[in-house]
Amino acid sequence: MPILEILDYAGVAVFAATGALSASRKQLDIIGYIFLASITGIGGGTLRDVILGATPVFWVVNPIYLVVCGCAGLLVFFSAHLMESRYRYLLWLDAIGLASYSVMGAAKGLAATGSPIVALVTGMLTATFGGILRDMLAGEPSVLLRPEIYVTAALAGAGVFTAATYFAAPLLVASTLGVVTAFAVRGGALKYGWTLPTGDPRPGRHPNDVM
Amino acid sequence: MPILEILDYAGVAVFAATGALSASRKQLDIIGYIFLASITGIGGGTLRDVILGATPVFWVVNPIYLVVCGCAGLLVFFSAHLMESRYRYLLWLDAIGLASYSVMGAAKGLAATGSPIVALVTGMLTATFGGILRDMLAGEPSVLLRPEIYVTAALAGAGVFTAATYFAAPLLVASTLGVVTAFAVRGGALKYGWTLPTGDPRPGRHPNDVM
Amino acid sequence: MPILEILDYAGVAVFAATGALSASRKQLDIIGYIFLASITGIGGGTLRDVILGATPVFWVVNPIYLVVCGCAGLLVFFSAHLMESRYRYLLWLDAIGLASYSVMGAAKGLAATGSPIVALVTGMLTATFGGILRDMLAGEPSVLLRPEIYVTAALAGAGVFTAATYFAAPLLVASTLGVVTAFAVRGGALKYGWTLPTGDPRPGRHPNDVM
């Protein structure tokens, strides 16, 4: 199985699992698990395909992705009670998904357009969109707004993959470098609380106090 | 008028009315009613068409859907003060929309791909997406996260329609069975508080307490 | 440079700046600024292109828009501390973006379909979607739900542009009229607190109190 296909299934499966973990945190029923698993698992890739005009989107062409999401949802449904902290699992699985999709998104964007900057953006968008969607639908505080590095990791993975491809690295090498970079950056942020400096240290006031 | 067209207009009209009811609950102005009515009315079908690559989407091809949304918005604007509970109307109209769109989404997905599993997912997604979008835009607690059965009803409607079609039932029969099933399941949930068991009974802790 | 292209770049740049201002209010890091700037800057136009089936979307075809977003994000990152009220800047830049995109969205919708009602809706949707997305992602109270006129300004701009075009006004005249109208309406709302009457003056009760 080619490397990009493995990354794609891996990204879908782990993102789906994070969606199901959110469903568990919100005490949804089994269909709620499968629903959130599916939306989180296929959300990022769906956005990528729609933006690039690659429709019908990937899971309509190949519904096996939906089976993967359903199985991930069921697996979490029957095992979540065994986990000490579902949110910690969610974050680490999300990191794997982010790493896979930063490369997948960049690879599809690069293949479709040849433009490195488009590849960076499709990598960044598709790696983060699944998690954004999950947090929105489940009403969780967005992982995007936490201080630890998140989007930066996706950008790093997409950037390393794109640069390596530009310098004619084989697909397997470029993909591995991208995934490892993104996961190392995000994993470090989770484990050691890595942050980048913020621009303006004043928190925003409530709109009603400003107008 | 063929059955699928009736379901489509019905789905758009009642979802639009629920969007306008949300606008009323949030005390928006008349354009706010029409805006939320339009987005809720056409949101689910727009997602369905984009996913399937059926663009330009249905309401661009046939703007009469927009007129339907606008009229639903105006109707609610001038009558909402007569209702004792706008939220109860919203829920029951949403149930009708959910039932119509679960069949419409499945029918379009099945016609475009021939795959029953894709039909299930497009049915489930397009039936629930209008309401998800409405609750997000209006800042209402998402109907998705309430304990009563919701997504399950959409899945049941899409499933019954797809199965009936698979066993060569005529379109009218399959559609009616699907709509009645979805509405019965969701209506029962609204009236009797039907729920499915949850997987893990622990509510999620706040992320800050976990990390 | 033709008028529509100027409006497009202007819309992208000022929406991107509002996204970066939201990032600043939420104390994100530099990549967070660029991320929110990009999503807010290209969000409305992306929705417009996807709805109309004009894919790959505009910024994939012409990545210079992404450079514009990145520069806007950097500019705000290094200057936000100089501003007394970032939210007030955000609102006024958003008003410029809303005005530009109400005409851009209507022009693209009209060119693609010839239907004035579709032009109204694509104008209204694409002018407001960037701001909706920004507020959702940044967890800000939605500008959509504030009492001052917002969607109405976008509709006015799209309407004036479409009507002027219908009466054979040259593109430059129709565009200028549309932009000025939308900006005047939204600017007046910001400065003088203009509102339209609401339909039903009762605020919505919490769902739990109704069911």
Side-chain angles (χ1 to χ4, degrees):
Chain A
M1 193 153 64
I3 176 77
L4 287 183
E5 219 171 301
I6 295 174
L7 284 182
D8 210 10
Y9 282 114
V12 167
V14 295
F15 270 134
T18 69
L21 284 166
S22 264
S24 174
R25 285 169 51 81
K26 295 292 165 177
Q27 301 176 278
L28 302 187
D29 61 33
I30 193 166
I31 302 294
Y33 278 66
I34 292 176
F35 186 73
L36 268 189
S38 301
I39 290 201
T40 311
I42 64 184
T46 300
L47 179 68
R48 176 197 63 207
D49 287 357
V50 165
I51 282 173
L52 296 171
T55 51
V57 301
F58 69 107
W59 54 267
V60 171
V61 174
N62 180 5
I64 197 86
Y65 290 102
L66 298 173
V67 178
V68 169
C69 289
C71 292
L74 289 176
L75 191 73
V76 171
F77 185 79
F78 289 112
S79 65
H81 64 281
L82 301 173
M83 299 174 192
E84 196 246 313
S85 166
R86 291 163 294 180
Y87 194 69
R88 207 164 290 145
Y89 275 89
L90 185 156
L91 287 177
W92 283 97
L93 290 172
D94 184 88
I96 302 174
L98 179 109
S100 314
Y101 258 32
S102 70
V103 166
M104 268 306 295
K108 277 226 179 177
L110 198 60
T113 67
S115 156
I117 190 169
V118 169
L120 283 180
V121 173
T122 52
M124 184 168 78
L125 275 184
T126 62
T128 56
F129 189 67
I132 290 173
L133 213 53
R134 176 196 62 222
D135 294 345
M136 258 186 200
L137 291 178
E140 300 264 18
S142 178
V143 78
L144 202 67
L145 300 179
R146 295 196 58 85
E148 305 89 14
I149 283 176
Y150 186 70
V151 177
T152 305
L155 193 62
V160 165
F161 170 81
T162 306
T165 304
Y166 184 80
F167 290 112
L171 184 61
L172 185 62
V173 174
S175 304
T176 308
L177 283 175
V179 169
V180 168
T181 303
F183 186 74
V185 173
R186 176 62 181 155
L190 280 176
K191 198 159 169 53
Y192 306 109
W194 291 349
T195 57
L196 290 179
T198 57
D200 184 341
R202 294 172 296 159
R205 287 173 290 169
H206 191 276
N208 286 340
D209 301 336
V210 177
M211 288 183 70
Chain B
M1 193 153 64
I3 176 78
L4 286 183
E5 218 171 299
I6 296 173
L7 283 182
D8 210 8
Y9 283 113
V12 167
V14 296
F15 270 134
T18 69
L21 285 166
S22 264
S24 175
R25 285 170 50 82
K26 295 292 165 176
Q27 302 176 278
L28 302 187
D29 60 33
I30 192 166
I31 303 294
Y33 277 66
I34 293 177
F35 185 74
L36 268 189
S38 301
I39 290 201
T40 312
I42 65 185
T46 301
L47 179 68
R48 175 198 63 207
D49 287 358
V50 165
I51 282 172
L52 295 171
T55 52
V57 301
F58 70 108
W59 54 268
V60 170
V61 175
N62 179 7
I64 196 84
Y65 290 103
L66 299 172
V67 178
V68 170
C69 290
C71 292
L74 288 175
L75 192 73
V76 172
F77 184 78
F78 289 112
S79 65
H81 64 282
L82 302 173
M83 300 175 193
E84 197 247 312
S85 166
R86 291 163 294 180
Y87 194 69
R88 208 164 290 146
Y89 274 90
L90 185 156
L91 287 176
W92 282 97
L93 290 172
D94 185 89
I96 302 174
L98 180 108
S100 313
Y101 258 34
S102 71
V103 166
M104 269 305 295
K108 277 226 178 179
L110 198 59
T113 67
S115 156
I117 189 170
V118 169
L120 283 180
V121 173
T122 53
M124 184 167 77
L125 276 184
T126 63
T128 55
F129 188 66
I132 290 173
L133 213 53
R134 176 196 62 223
D135 294 345
M136 258 187 199
L137 292 179
E140 299 265 18
S142 177
V143 78
L144 201 66
L145 301 179
R146 295 196 57 85
E148 305 88 13
I149 282 176
Y150 186 71
V151 177
T152 304
L155 192 63
V160 166
F161 170 82
T162 306
T165 304
Y166 184 79
F167 290 111
L171 185 60
L172 184 63
V173 174
S175 305
T176 308
L177 283 176
V179 169
V180 168
T181 303
F183 186 75
V185 172
R186 176 61 182 155
L190 280 176
K191 199 160 169 53
Y192 306 109
W194 290 350
T195 58
L196 290 179
T198 57
D200 184 342
R202 295 172 296 159
R205 288 172 290 169
H206 191 277
N208 287 339
D209 301 336
V210 177
M211 289 182 69
Chain C
M1 191 153 66
I3 177 77
L4 286 183
E5 218 171 300
I6 295 173
L7 283 181
D8 210 8
Y9 283 115
V12 167
V14 295
F15 270 135
T18 69
L21 285 166
S22 264
S24 174
R25 285 169 51 81
K26 295 292 165 176
Q27 303 176 278
L28 302 187
D29 59 34
I30 193 166
I31 302 294
Y33 278 65
I34 293 177
F35 185 73
L36 268 189
S38 301
I39 290 202
T40 311
I42 64 184
T46 300
L47 179 69
R48 176 199 64 208
D49 287 358
V50 165
I51 283 172
L52 295 171
T55 51
V57 301
F58 69 108
W59 54 267
V60 171
V61 174
N62 179 7
I64 196 85
Y65 289 103
L66 298 173
V67 178
V68 169
C69 289
C71 291
L74 288 177
L75 192 73
V76 171
F77 184 78
F78 289 112
S79 65
H81 63 282
L82 303 173
M83 301 174 191
E84 196 246 316
S85 167
R86 290 163 294 180
Y87 194 69
R88 208 164 290 144
Y89 274 90
L90 185 157
L91 287 176
W92 282 97
L93 289 173
D94 186 88
I96 302 174
L98 180 108
S100 314
Y101 259 31
S102 71
V103 166
M104 268 306 294
K108 277 226 179 177
L110 198 59
T113 67
S115 156
I117 190 170
V118 170
L120 283 179
V121 173
T122 53
M124 184 167 78
L125 275 186
T126 63
T128 55
F129 189 66
I132 290 173
L133 212 53
R134 175 195 63 223
D135 294 345
M136 257 185 201
L137 291 179
E140 300 264 18
S142 178
V143 78
L144 201 67
L145 300 179
R146 295 196 59 84
E148 307 87 15
I149 283 175
Y150 187 71
V151 177
T152 305
L155 194 62
V160 165
F161 170 81
T162 306
T165 303
Y166 185 79
F167 290 113
L171 184 59
L172 184 62
V173 174
S175 304
T176 308
L177 284 175
V179 170
V180 168
T181 303
F183 186 74
V185 172
R186 177 61 183 155
L190 280 176
K191 199 160 168 54
Y192 305 109
W194 291 349
T195 58
L196 290 179
T198 57
D200 184 341
R202 294 172 298 159
R205 288 172 289 169
H206 191 278
N208 287 339
D209 301 336
V210 177
M211 288 183 70

